[in-house]
Amino acid sequence: MMMSDPRVHYCCLLLTAALSMLLWWPAWADEAHFAEHFNERIEVRLEGLSGEALRNVQGLLSLVRAQQQAPQETQAVLSPPLIERLHQRGFAEIRRALEPFGYYQAQITGSLTPPSQPGQAWQAHYQITPGEPIPIDQIELRFVDHAQDTPLLRQLRQQLHSGLGKTLDHRRYEQGKQQLLQGLQQAGYLQAQFRLQRVAVDLHTYVAQIILHVETGPLLRVGEIHIEQEGFDEAYLHSLIPVRRGAPLTLDLQSELRHIFSASGYFAQVEIERLSPDPATPDLIPLLIRLQPLKRNRYRARLGWGTDSGVGTQLDWTRRYLWDRGHQMRLGGVWVEQRNKAALDFLYTLPADPWLGYHLELAARRQGKDLNYGDVSLDEGGQTRITHQAISLRLPRNRSLRGQHWSERLSLSWVEEEYDLFEVLFGNLPPLSQEHIASVLGSDRALLAPAFKALVPGVEWTYRQADNPLHTTHGNYLNLSLHGAHESLGSNVRFWQTRLAAMHIRPVFGNDRLIFRSDWGYTDATTASVLGASLNRLPEDYEFRTGGDRSVRGYRYESLLPREGITGGKHLSVISLEYERTLFKDFSAAAFVDGGNAFNDFNDMDIKGGIGLGLRWRSPIIGLVRLDTAVPLDEEALDRFRIHFTVGPEF
């Protein structure tokens, strides 16, 4: 056997490669010529459509997709013959894109114009007359394995008919089917499914028929509910569950139970599992709830600063659950630099009726703050310490009215408060001078050093609605409170008071916002006059002052009060209008005007105003961060301008 010569093999390989290049050379040349000369552009114009129908046509039309493709290697394949084929294909694509909206008799004319000069685009034009949408002639809804005339099924049938309307719209058809299944599942038919679903379109008579056969399956109900947990009374935990054995096992029952136990504030983890039913009662589904409690104690410490409060600190201790029925306790203290305010709070919470959404609160508070001559616009004087203490019994609960949810809080408070304005007015004088002035004042000296004791019943309603809690573009906030005191209830003072605070946020010009804020207060109380100053016969904690970050900007915090007042006013009126314009991404700028004051007489309101500009940053974690520069419109204002800084959502 002879061995082949390697040189022969090598020559054969070279000859084969050369022949291959010669054979494929025309294809390479054509492709290079194709890429060089066929980089065509297309402009597509559609007339006669708008809204979702237009967008759907644009999404399905091959010419439009080709027009929107960016990579050059993709545009290189658009040759004139291909453009003409895509244009002819467009007539069928438009008809197919209009069918989901019920348009089955669309009239379409079109033209395709090649470029007249190099570099110009092809012009594709379609004139579309969609015609009348096809009417629905019949809706056949049949429930298999279930009676046809139960109230629930009649209601679902009526909802489906009203939801689909009189003409065929495949979008509403799909939504109607989904809502029908959800309605059955919410009622306890968790195994419901479509056995037959069909839309029949007769183009000859131009009517449509909808045929839906639903296999409902058995009605599943709640069986025994078992709870795995430690540390809580079993009966109390069962009282939190809003359903009992035999109730329909709805689609969202598990998520609802998970929310109830998580919102209680006792549990770090909530797991809910469906167990296998007893063969004797296959429609009763047992549930198992596993609860892992939070740590009993929570400790928090905060340090902050604000243009209103200055430096501040807060410490608190929360005992998340006491005993075995969910009692809670919180003890906390706060101090802020502004007027050297300090407060100590105690709160004890007793669960009352979880199904009605309310509980009992026993609260106690002791606070103090300084009042000096500068706070009442005097050039000299002294200061006093206003001490306020209150013990309150409160009943918060949730309410619902015409589909709107709001909160209500009933309260009964025993309030004690005392201070000495004589020290503010004359604390800088020598003791002998103070004794002389006190003797001249006589009985009026007691008016300067009140010791209020009042039993104050009250009620408060709050409504909040926001499309986004961190950055609201459409929202409303309302807070109305009423409270008062009378000698017949053991108080040494008589007054009643109402206050209404409101905020409305609306979108304007796309992403911009318009914010309207108002705060109104009225008090019926007696007023005494001593040394030309007005002294209201009610605790200072219930008097009104304004000015600051969230009030009348351009003025110091709570620096606005009646000219003749010392501690505050009986009435309040504040209005603010703000326009916020988006700059880019999470930043926006604002322009605002504020006005208002606290006063004792409606004939002497002395409204103060402020205008300014601000910068906003929408933080994804802490909400809106606001930085405002405001100028007071009062020539007698102490500050020529003020900077205000606040963090957090609007309400």
Side-chain angles (χ1 to χ4, degrees):
M1 186 174 194
M2 297 182 60
M3 299 292 296
S4 60
D5 191 345
R7 290 174 296 179
V8 174
H9 287 284
Y10 183 71
C11 291
C12 290
L13 289 174
L14 289 177
L15 181 61
T16 302
L19 289 173
S20 299
M21 292 180 64
L22 290 174
L23 290 173
W24 285 97
W25 173 256
W28 293 348
D30 288 346
E31 184 175 345
H33 178 77
F34 183 83
E36 179 180 358
H37 294 283
F38 297 133
N39 188 14
E40 305 290 343
R41 294 186 301 109
I42 314 167
E43 292 182 359
V44 181
R45 185 159 52 96
L46 299 168
E47 293 185 0
L49 296 177
S50 62
E52 292 188 40
L54 175 61
R55 289 190 290 271
N56 199 50
V57 169
Q58 291 172 335
L60 291 180
L61 199 59
S62 299
L63 276 178
V64 173
R65 296 202 305 270
Q67 171 194 10
Q68 295 173 345
Q69 289 172 343
Q72 290 299 320
E73 59 271 17
T74 303
Q75 298 238 1
V77 302
L78 294 178
S79 64
L82 178 59
I83 292 176
E84 292 176 353
R85 289 197 302 271
L86 293 180
H87 171 65
Q88 291 301 321
R89 187 192 303 172
F91 293 92
E93 292 173 338
I94 293 174
R95 288 191 175 88
R96 189 166 60 251
L98 291 177
E99 289 179 358
F101 303 89
Y103 299 115
Y104 284 83
Q105 291 183 334
Q107 301 295 324
I108 308 170
T109 60
S111 61
L112 180 66
T113 305
S116 59
Q117 295 180 3
Q120 291 184 344
W122 287 71
Q123 301 293 324
H125 172 243
Y126 294 95
Q127 178 66 46
I128 306 164
T129 303
E132 293 295 327
I134 190 168
I136 299 175
D137 180 60
Q138 181 183 0
I139 299 177
E140 180 185 319
L141 176 59
R142 182 180 302 173
F143 295 101
V144 184
D145 300 334
H146 201 281
Q148 298 290 308
D149 57 352
T150 64
L152 169 66
L153 299 187
R154 287 198 299 269
Q155 178 184 357
L156 292 175
R157 183 178 285 105
Q158 183 179 0
Q159 290 177 354
L160 179 68
H161 280 73
S162 61
L164 294 181
K166 297 181 179 180
T167 59
L168 178 61
D169 187 321
H170 288 265
R171 300 165 302 165
R172 298 176 66 179
Y173 167 70
E174 295 297 332
Q175 293 173 359
K177 290 195 306 180
Q178 185 66 25
Q179 292 171 357
L180 177 63
L181 278 185
Q182 289 178 353
L184 287 168
Q185 293 169 349
Q186 288 292 353
Y189 297 97
L190 298 185
Q191 299 175 3
Q193 60 182 346
F194 288 106
R195 176 180 291 184
L196 176 63
Q197 45 183 325
R198 188 175 65 190
V199 177
V201 176
D202 189 337
L203 295 180
H204 179 68
T205 59
Y206 203 63
V207 292
Q209 293 182 341
I210 294 176
I211 303 173
L212 295 174
H213 294 177
V214 185
E215 186 174 347
T216 62
L219 175 62
L220 301 182
R221 300 182 182 275
V222 178
E224 295 294 332
I225 300 179
H226 309 279
I227 301 179
E228 289 185 3
Q229 56 86 32
E230 293 182 1
F232 288 87
D233 180 73
E234 191 84 8
Y236 169 69
L237 293 179
H238 276 281
S239 72
L240 299 176
I241 301 175
V243 295
R244 292 292 178 259
R245 176 187 171 93
L249 183 60
T250 62
L251 179 64
D252 57 357
L253 178 60
Q254 289 182 232
S255 61
E256 183 181 354
L257 291 176
R258 189 177 296 108
H259 171 74
I260 288 174
F261 284 101
S262 299
S264 68
Y266 308 139
F267 305 106
Q269 186 173 351
V270 180
E271 296 180 358
I272 301 177
E273 179 183 351
R274 295 181 192 172
L275 303 179
S276 299
D278 189 327
T281 55
D283 60 328
L284 291 177
I285 310 299
L287 298 178
L288 175 61
I289 303 176
R290 296 188 182 93
L291 303 175
Q292 179 181 340
L294 291 162
K295 294 182 179 180
R296 286 184 178 268
N297 299 302
R298 183 186 67 182
Y299 305 93
R300 292 191 305 180
R302 299 177 180 177
L303 180 65
W305 175 86
T307 51
D308 275 353
S309 61
V311 178
T313 183
Q314 180 179 358
L315 302 172
D316 63 63
W317 164 48
T318 301
R319 184 79 166 180
R320 287 192 171 102
Y321 43 90
L322 295 164
W323 327 125
D324 61 354
R325 298 188 64 84
H327 293 199
Q328 295 181 348
M329 182 193 71
R330 183 173 65 84
L331 181 64
V334 61
W335 172 85
V336 295
E337 181 183 13
Q338 199 271 341
R339 294 180 64 177
N340 192 26
K341 293 182 181 179
L344 184 65
D345 289 289
F346 173 80
L347 178 65
Y348 193 93
T349 303
L350 300 85
D353 193 329
W355 285 20
L356 295 179
Y358 70 85
H359 54 272
L360 293 174
E361 294 179 349
L362 178 63
R365 179 178 179 86
R366 180 176 177 82
Q367 69 178 20
K369 57 184 175 182
D370 293 338
L371 179 68
N372 58 48
Y373 65 93
D375 296 321
V376 295
S377 302
L378 294 177
D379 294 331
E380 57 182 359
Q383 74 173 23
T384 186
R385 186 73 174 170
I386 301 176
T387 60
H388 175 95
Q389 52 194 14
I391 299 177
S392 304
L393 182 65
R394 303 194 293 247
L395 179 63
R397 52 184 174 178
N398 298 322
R399 293 285 195 176
S400 181
L401 179 65
R402 296 181 179 178
Q404 302 297 323
H405 301 284
W406 44 281
S407 62
E408 175 186 76
R409 186 172 72 173
L410 306 176
S411 63
L412 183 64
S413 304
W414 177 255
V415 177
E416 295 184 359
E417 184 179 282
E418 58 183 9
Y419 51 87
D420 191 352
L421 296 178
F422 187 88
E423 295 295 331
V424 177
L425 299 174
F426 309 109
N428 62 317
L429 299 179
L432 289 177
S433 299
Q434 293 186 30
E435 292 177 4
H436 175 70
I437 296 174
S439 63
V440 173
L441 288 173
S443 60
D444 288 344
R445 172 66 177 87
L447 296 175
L448 295 173
F452 295 113
K453 296 181 179 181
L455 183 65
V456 184
V459 60
E460 181 179 356
W461 297 280
T462 302
Y463 171 74
R464 291 181 176 89
Q465 174 268 320
D467 56 355
N468 186 331
L470 288 180
H471 178 64
T472 303
T473 57
H474 189 288
N476 299 285
Y477 169 82
L478 292 172
N479 178 267
L480 175 64
S481 61
L482 299 167
H483 42 250
H486 198 274
E487 293 92 336
S488 62
L489 298 177
S491 306
N492 65 359
V493 64
R494 176 193 301 182
F495 72 93
W496 74 269
Q497 184 178 88
T498 181
R499 184 171 185 173
L500 175 62
M503 177 181 283
H504 307 282
I505 302 175
R506 294 292 183 270
V508 292
F509 308 124
N511 296 326
D512 298 349
R513 301 195 307 167
L514 191 65
I515 303 172
F516 175 76
R517 174 171 48 86
S518 63
D519 197 357
W520 311 91
Y522 174 83
T523 308
D524 182 21
T526 59
T527 301
S529 180
V530 179
L531 299 176
S534 296
L535 306 177
N536 298 314
R537 294 292 298 160
L538 74 157
E540 186 269 350
D541 197 58
Y542 292 94
E543 290 187 294
F544 296 117
R545 302 170 73 108
T546 188
D549 300 339
R550 294 180 179 267
S551 182
V552 183
R553 287 164 285 190
Y555 299 85
R556 289 177 298 143
Y557 178 64
E558 293 189 346
S559 64
L560 298 180
L561 68 161
R563 283 192 297 264
E564 73 284 0
I566 295 181
T567 55
K570 294 192 296 183
H571 315 307
L572 176 69
S573 177
V574 173
I575 295 179
S576 173
L577 184 63
E578 180 173 319
Y579 173 72
E580 181 183 317
R581 180 171 180 80
T582 301
L583 299 177
F584 53 89
K585 199 177 180 181
D586 295 328
F587 289 87
S588 56
F592 56 85
V593 55
D594 302 334
N597 205 342
F599 53 96
N600 287 328
D601 192 333
F602 283 93
N603 295 323
D604 189 20
M605 296 179 64
D606 192 23
I607 298 298
K608 305 294 185 181
I611 59 174
L613 301 173
L615 184 65
R616 308 286 183 261
W617 172 48
R618 296 184 289 275
S619 166
I621 300 176
I622 60 177
L624 196 61
V625 178
R626 310 172 193 81
L627 179 64
D628 293 327
T629 300
V631 178
L633 300 180
D634 182 10
E635 296 180 355
E636 299 178 358
L638 298 178
D639 302 311
R640 298 183 60 184
F641 72 93
R642 287 192 65 81
I643 296 176
H644 301 273
F645 178 77
T646 54
V647 177
E650 277 86 359
F651 43 82

